[in-house]
Amino acid sequence: VQLVESGGGLVQPGGSLKLSCLVSGFRFDDYVFGWFRQAPGKEREAVTCFSGNDGTTYAPDPRFTVRSDAAANTVYLQMKNLEPEDTAVYFCSAISYILVDLDESRCDGWNEAMAYWGKGTPVTVSS
């Protein structure tokens, strides 16, 4: 089981960035995929959650859009209108769909110890 993020980097305020998460080693539709981020000195927080089973998406910030390409085993995070406060390491994660309570308004029950994690990709928003 492996999750590999890519696409991070330096972007100016107001810019856009697209992150990719290459997934391997398990059935796409048995899992919920999440993008999380951790800024310096802060706890890791959820950005968006996406069901590989039925496409249910939790994406509270309209600047961030998640989509998947099951044929390519890849989950994407499209980010636009980025702000310096978005600077963080962004992580891709996967967890069995039976462990998460997911709908458009919530993504609850993400047990970090029960989930799979990538190593993260850094995003820096700065002029």
Side-chain angles (χ1 to χ4, degrees):
V1 175
Q2 194 172 20
L3 302 163
V4 180
E5 304 95 336
S6 62
L10 175 64
V11 62
Q12 293 187 342
S16 299
L17 209 58
K18 182 179 179 180
L19 307 183
S20 299
C21 175
L22 180 62
V23 175
S24 62
F26 49 90
R27 285 172 52 90
F28 208 80
D29 57 4
D30 285 343
Y31 287 82
V32 172
F33 299 92
W35 283 98
F36 292 74
R37 68 184 184 185
Q38 187 167 21
K42 294 187 177 181
E43 293 188 355
R44 187 153 54 187
E45 62 177 355
V47 175
T48 181
C49 301
F50 171 82
S51 171
N53 180 263
D54 62 11
T56 299
T57 301
Y58 167 76
D61 191 328
R63 300 178 298 132
F64 297 149
T65 303
V66 63
R67 70 174 185 88
S68 69
D69 183 343
N73 292 324
T74 303
V75 180
Y76 302 97
L77 179 66
Q78 179 69 56
M79 306 184 291
K80 63 180 182 180
N81 298 327
L82 286 165
E83 304 167 353
E85 293 73 23
D86 297 315
T87 295
V89 178
Y90 284 71
F91 298 89
C92 179
S93 181
I95 194 168
S96 171
Y97 75 93
I98 63 175
L99 297 178
V100 177
D101 192 3
L102 172 66
D103 62 31
E104 293 181 351
S105 64
R106 62 184 176 180
C107 179
D108 294 337
W110 202 287
N111 185 320
E112 293 200 1
M114 298 292 289
Y116 299 97
W117 294 90
K119 294 183 179 180
T121 185
V123 172
T124 301
V125 185
S126 175
S127 56

